[in-house]
Amino acid sequence: MSPQAVTKFMTESGWARAAGVPKETLSRLKKQPSCDLRTLGALARAAGFDLVAVPAGQRSAEPMPGSLTRDYESELLDLAASGNMDPDAWRTHGCSFFMGGLATMLGSAAGFEREKYLWLAESLHPGVTTPEVFALWLRRSPVRASRFLPMAKRRKRRT
């Protein structure tokens, strides 16, 4: 949430002011990443996020795929080339974390509309566009950018 807040407010001090917390709070959070729920909620609201409690069994309807079949890869390439930015349509193709990471990857590539894909990624899985979470996605994902992105660009040109 921090990168989006700094983009929105230009500085951490601006973010803290908008959240109604002392600016030292953000400094403390860098050293000790823990705070009370009221502080977290204020920072989240100011940055444009909602805090949501989700029952443990409902976090993900399905796990991230361990591998890609050619058919599934082709389906993902069609989706990437389609320009469809409907999160519900993307969720039908895989779990939110996997699809959010795919949208982040596309938003980071030349030839794809960065803002739209990053918005989609955050809609699918809040936080997936942060470097730490996206790095985790890259380690776990069966999608290899060096293979997928050139194929997605070719398919997009054909549509």
Side-chain angles (χ1 to χ4, degrees):
M1 137 172 92
S2 182
Q4 289 85 349
V6 172
T7 299
K8 183 175 181 180
F9 297 107
M10 305 303 273
T11 65
E12 289 184 345
S13 294
W15 181 21
R17 194 171 29 262
V21 301
K23 64 182 176 184
E24 295 80 15
T25 299
L26 292 171
S27 180
R28 274 194 301 274
L29 282 171
K30 288 179 183 175
K31 295 175 188 147
Q32 182 183 358
S34 176
C35 66
D36 65 34
L37 189 56
R38 185 181 354 233
T39 300
L40 180 60
L43 290 168
R45 278 188 300 282
F49 287 81
D50 290 322
L51 295 181
V52 179
V54 178
Q58 295 180 7
R59 272 185 249 158
S60 177
E62 55 187 275
M64 181 179 247
S67 63
L68 294 180
T69 64
R70 293 225 184 249
D71 287 342
Y72 186 38
E73 182 180 57
S74 182
E75 185 181 309
L76 294 175
L77 289 165
D78 286 342
L79 181 62
S82 73
N84 185 337
M85 296 292 147
D86 178 10
D88 290 333
W90 278 64
R91 282 186 194 98
T92 65
H93 295 276
C95 73
S96 292
F97 178 62
F98 176 63
M99 299 309 293
L102 186 65
T104 300
M105 183 178 70
L106 291 165
S108 302
F112 291 89
E113 296 179 65
R114 180 174 178 75
E115 287 184 20
K116 289 182 179 182
Y117 279 96
L118 295 183
W119 171 87
L120 174 63
E122 283 294 325
S123 298
L124 291 165
H125 188 87
V128 75
T129 61
T130 64
E132 302 83 7
V133 178
F134 186 58
L136 176 66
W137 183 88
L138 286 170
R139 285 193 302 277
R140 292 184 179 176
S141 175
V143 174
R144 296 294 159 246
S146 59
R147 173 183 163 80
F148 191 87
L149 290 173
M151 293 185 342
K153 288 176 187 178
R154 281 193 300 276
R155 185 124 357 155
K156 187 176 180 203
R157 281 193 299 265
R158 289 194 321 225
T159 60

XYZ file of all heavy atoms in Angstrom, residues 64-108:
333
model
N -2.434 -21.621 -6.943
C -1.723 -21.187 -8.141
C -1.342 -22.435 -8.931
O -0.930 -23.431 -8.335
C -0.468 -20.418 -7.729
C 0.332 -19.914 -8.897
S 1.754 -19.001 -8.328
C 1.330 -17.399 -8.878
N -1.485 -22.403 -10.241
C -1.139 -23.611 -11.018
C 0.350 -23.938 -10.898
O 1.191 -23.042 -10.839
C -1.505 -23.228 -12.453
C -1.566 -21.740 -12.474
C -1.917 -21.299 -11.089
N 0.646 -25.220 -10.845
C 2.034 -25.663 -10.774
C 2.699 -25.682 -12.139
O 3.917 -25.598 -12.254
N 1.891 -25.793 -13.176
C 2.424 -25.805 -14.546
C 1.335 -25.305 -15.490
O 0.181 -25.161 -15.099
C 2.850 -27.221 -14.937
O 1.731 -28.084 -14.934
N 1.747 -25.050 -16.723
C 0.802 -24.600 -17.748
C 0.735 -25.620 -18.866
O 1.771 -26.016 -19.401
C 1.255 -23.276 -18.368
C 1.296 -22.025 -17.517
C 1.782 -20.845 -18.348
C -0.063 -21.712 -16.942
N -0.469 -26.025 -19.220
C -0.621 -26.811 -20.438
C -0.624 -25.825 -21.604
O -0.838 -24.621 -21.412
C -1.952 -27.584 -20.437
O -3.032 -26.630 -20.439
C -2.066 -28.501 -19.222
N -0.411 -26.301 -22.788
C -0.452 -25.409 -23.952
C -1.836 -24.769 -24.114
O -1.951 -23.614 -24.495
C -0.064 -26.163 -25.217
C 1.387 -26.575 -25.185
C 2.046 -26.280 -26.502
N 3.411 -26.761 -26.488
C 4.474 -25.968 -26.488
N 4.304 -24.677 -26.502
N 5.681 -26.468 -26.475
N -2.881 -25.557 -23.817
C -4.244 -25.012 -23.928
C -4.478 -23.892 -22.925
O -5.048 -22.857 -23.265
C -5.286 -26.110 -23.727
C -5.375 -27.060 -24.916
O -4.889 -26.698 -26.015
O -5.926 -28.162 -24.745
N -4.039 -24.102 -21.670
C -4.226 -23.081 -20.639
C -3.384 -21.844 -20.970
O -3.852 -20.714 -20.858
C -3.862 -23.645 -19.267
C -4.149 -22.722 -18.105
C -5.276 -21.916 -18.069
C -3.286 -22.673 -17.025
C -5.536 -21.077 -16.986
C -3.534 -21.841 -15.941
C -4.661 -21.051 -15.929
O -4.909 -20.221 -14.866
N -2.172 -22.057 -21.437
C -1.320 -20.937 -21.831
C -1.978 -20.145 -22.970
O -1.999 -18.918 -22.951
C 0.050 -21.442 -22.257
C 1.022 -20.337 -22.631
C 2.374 -20.890 -23.044
O 2.414 -21.716 -23.986
O 3.369 -20.498 -22.420
N -2.550 -20.836 -23.920
C -3.223 -20.184 -25.044
C -4.428 -19.379 -24.561
O -4.687 -18.267 -25.027
C -3.647 -21.219 -26.079
O -4.245 -20.590 -27.182
N -5.151 -19.932 -23.604
C -6.298 -19.244 -23.008
C -5.833 -17.945 -22.321
O -6.458 -16.898 -22.476
C -6.930 -20.196 -21.988
C -8.185 -19.747 -21.337
C -8.672 -20.801 -20.341
O -8.782 -21.986 -20.701
O -8.927 -20.408 -19.201
N -4.741 -18.021 -21.593
C -4.192 -16.832 -20.919
C -3.690 -15.806 -21.932
O -3.867 -14.598 -21.748
C -3.069 -17.227 -19.960
C -3.487 -18.081 -18.762
C -2.257 -18.503 -17.955
C -4.492 -17.355 -17.879
N -3.076 -16.273 -22.996
C -2.611 -15.367 -24.053
C -3.785 -14.661 -24.727
O -3.719 -13.459 -25.004
C -1.779 -16.129 -25.086
C -0.405 -16.575 -24.607
C 0.173 -17.625 -25.548
C 0.538 -15.378 -24.485
N -4.867 -15.404 -24.981
C -6.065 -14.779 -25.558
C -6.608 -13.696 -24.634
O -6.977 -12.616 -25.086
C -7.157 -15.821 -25.808
C -6.872 -16.711 -27.003
O -6.021 -16.340 -27.839
O -7.504 -17.786 -27.091
N -6.655 -13.996 -23.335
C -7.147 -13.032 -22.354
C -6.247 -11.792 -22.330
O -6.738 -10.657 -22.361
C -7.204 -13.670 -20.972
C -7.733 -12.790 -19.839
C -9.177 -12.383 -20.095
C -7.615 -13.537 -18.518
N -4.948 -11.999 -22.316
C -4.000 -10.877 -22.293
C -4.143 -10.009 -23.533
O -4.081 -8.782 -23.447
C -2.571 -11.409 -22.180
N -4.351 -10.622 -24.665
C -4.455 -9.883 -25.931
C -5.809 -9.210 -26.103
O -5.939 -8.274 -26.889
C -4.195 -10.830 -27.099
N -6.801 -9.661 -25.361
C -8.165 -9.161 -25.550
C -8.367 -7.719 -25.092
O -9.280 -7.047 -25.568
C -9.161 -10.052 -24.794
O -9.063 -9.825 -23.386
N -7.561 -7.274 -24.143
C -7.765 -5.938 -23.586
C -8.881 -5.893 -22.553
O -9.225 -4.829 -22.050
N -9.450 -7.027 -22.199
C -10.517 -7.110 -21.213
C -9.954 -6.766 -19.825
O -9.018 -7.405 -19.369
C -11.110 -8.524 -21.216
C -12.304 -8.652 -20.299
O -12.493 -7.897 -19.360
N -13.121 -9.661 -20.578
N -10.528 -5.760 -19.178
C -10.064 -5.325 -17.862
C -11.076 -5.629 -16.767
O -11.026 -5.039 -15.696
C -9.767 -3.815 -17.874
C -8.661 -3.408 -18.791
S -7.080 -4.045 -18.188
C -6.264 -4.330 -19.745
N -11.960 -6.562 -17.011
C -12.981 -6.933 -16.025
C -12.387 -7.959 -15.055
O -12.101 -9.092 -15.458
C -14.198 -7.516 -16.744
C -15.288 -7.967 -15.794
O -15.207 -7.679 -14.581
O -16.238 -8.614 -16.263
N -12.199 -7.588 -13.784
C -11.611 -8.522 -12.825
C -12.374 -9.843 -12.720
O -11.762 -10.904 -12.575
C -11.655 -7.758 -11.494
C -11.695 -6.322 -11.886
C -12.464 -6.278 -13.185
N -13.697 -9.783 -12.815
C -14.482 -11.020 -12.728
C -14.169 -11.961 -13.898
O -14.093 -13.171 -13.721
C -15.976 -10.720 -12.685
C -16.392 -10.065 -11.372
O -15.713 -10.306 -10.346
O -17.383 -9.314 -11.371
N -13.975 -11.398 -15.073
C -13.611 -12.228 -16.228
C -12.239 -12.863 -16.014
O -12.033 -14.030 -16.344
C -13.618 -11.393 -17.504
N -11.314 -12.120 -15.455
C -9.976 -12.663 -15.206
C -10.006 -13.752 -14.135
O -9.288 -14.740 -14.236
C -9.017 -11.526 -14.812
C -8.494 -10.794 -16.006
C -9.213 -10.057 -16.906
C -7.146 -10.751 -16.457
N -8.396 -9.556 -17.883
C -7.117 -9.954 -17.620
C -5.951 -11.293 -15.973
C -5.940 -9.705 -18.320
C -4.777 -11.029 -16.659
C -4.788 -10.248 -17.825
N -10.843 -13.569 -13.112
C -10.914 -14.566 -12.033
C -11.407 -15.917 -12.537
O -11.123 -16.938 -11.927
C -11.826 -14.072 -10.908
C -11.180 -13.058 -10.023
C -12.073 -12.708 -8.817
N -11.573 -11.512 -8.190
C -12.053 -10.283 -8.400
N -13.088 -10.092 -9.207
N -11.525 -9.250 -7.800
N -12.133 -15.930 -13.637
C -12.607 -17.217 -14.158
C -11.460 -18.050 -14.735
O -11.636 -19.231 -15.002
C -13.695 -17.037 -15.240
O -13.131 -16.378 -16.372
C -14.892 -16.261 -14.703
N -10.290 -17.430 -14.916
C -9.147 -18.133 -15.511
C -8.116 -18.601 -14.491
O -7.138 -19.252 -14.866
C -8.467 -17.233 -16.553
C -9.339 -16.925 -17.719
N -9.471 -17.765 -18.798
C -10.170 -15.875 -17.964
C -10.322 -17.243 -19.661
N -10.754 -16.110 -19.179
N -8.321 -18.254 -13.222
C -7.364 -18.696 -12.203
C -7.563 -17.937 -10.906
O -8.368 -17.005 -10.833
N -6.815 -18.351 -9.885
C -6.941 -17.714 -8.575
C -6.500 -16.251 -8.665
O -5.734 -15.859 -9.546
C -6.144 -18.476 -7.519
S -4.349 -18.301 -7.617
N -6.997 -15.444 -7.760
C -6.752 -14.004 -7.799
C -5.275 -13.650 -7.734
O -4.829 -12.721 -8.407
C -7.506 -13.326 -6.654
O -8.885 -13.414 -6.877
N -4.497 -14.366 -6.929
C -3.069 -14.073 -6.820
C -2.363 -14.346 -8.154
O -1.581 -13.522 -8.633
C -2.436 -14.903 -5.698
C -0.957 -14.683 -5.547
C -0.452 -13.431 -5.227
C -0.078 -15.730 -5.712
C 0.919 -13.229 -5.082
C 1.290 -15.537 -5.574
C 1.791 -14.286 -5.256
N -2.669 -15.466 -8.752
C -2.044 -15.816 -10.027
C -2.423 -14.820 -11.116
O -1.574 -14.290 -11.838
C -2.443 -17.234 -10.446
C -1.915 -17.636 -11.793
C -0.551 -17.730 -12.024
C -2.777 -17.919 -12.839
C -0.055 -18.084 -13.274
C -2.295 -18.285 -14.084
C -0.922 -18.369 -14.304
N -3.698 -14.518 -11.214
C -4.157 -13.613 -12.268
C -3.686 -12.179 -12.013
O -3.356 -11.454 -12.939
C -5.676 -13.683 -12.406
C -6.195 -15.071 -12.792
S -5.385 -15.805 -14.239
C -5.937 -14.708 -15.526
N -3.635 -11.778 -10.736
C -3.119 -10.452 -10.407
C -1.657 -10.313 -10.787
O -1.225 -9.277 -11.304
N -0.878 -11.355 -10.554
C 0.531 -11.335 -10.948
C 0.693 -11.287 -12.456
O 1.568 -10.585 -12.980
N -0.153 -12.007 -13.167
C -0.106 -11.983 -14.628
C -0.413 -10.575 -15.141
O 0.278 -10.069 -16.031
C -1.099 -12.999 -15.201
C -1.076 -13.194 -16.711
C 0.258 -13.780 -17.165
C -2.225 -14.101 -17.146
N -1.416 -9.934 -14.547
C -1.755 -8.564 -14.946
C -0.606 -7.601 -14.617
O -0.309 -6.691 -15.396
C -3.049 -8.115 -14.261
N 0.062 -7.809 -13.488
C 1.214 -6.977 -13.124
C 2.325 -7.139 -14.151
O 2.933 -6.155 -14.595
C 1.743 -7.347 -11.724
O 0.699 -7.145 -10.764
C 2.944 -6.495 -11.341
N 2.590 -8.366 -14.543
C 3.626 -8.634 -15.537
C 3.298 -7.929 -16.852
O 4.159 -7.284 -17.453
C 3.776 -10.138 -15.768
C 4.890 -10.494 -16.741
S 5.092 -12.271 -16.951
C 3.596 -12.673 -17.839
N 2.053 -8.010 -17.273
C 1.651 -7.356 -18.517
C 1.754 -5.835 -18.396
O 2.194 -5.164 -19.328
C 0.225 -7.772 -18.897
C 0.087 -9.229 -19.331
C -1.384 -9.647 -19.322
C 0.714 -9.465 -20.686
N 1.381 -5.305 -17.231
C 1.469 -3.869 -17.018
C 2.898 -3.354 -16.991
O 3.144 -2.162 -17.148
N 3.833 -4.257 -16.808
C 5.249 -3.886 -16.775
C 5.910 -4.018 -18.137
O 7.098 -3.717 -18.275
C 5.986 -4.781 -15.767
O 5.408 -4.653 -14.495
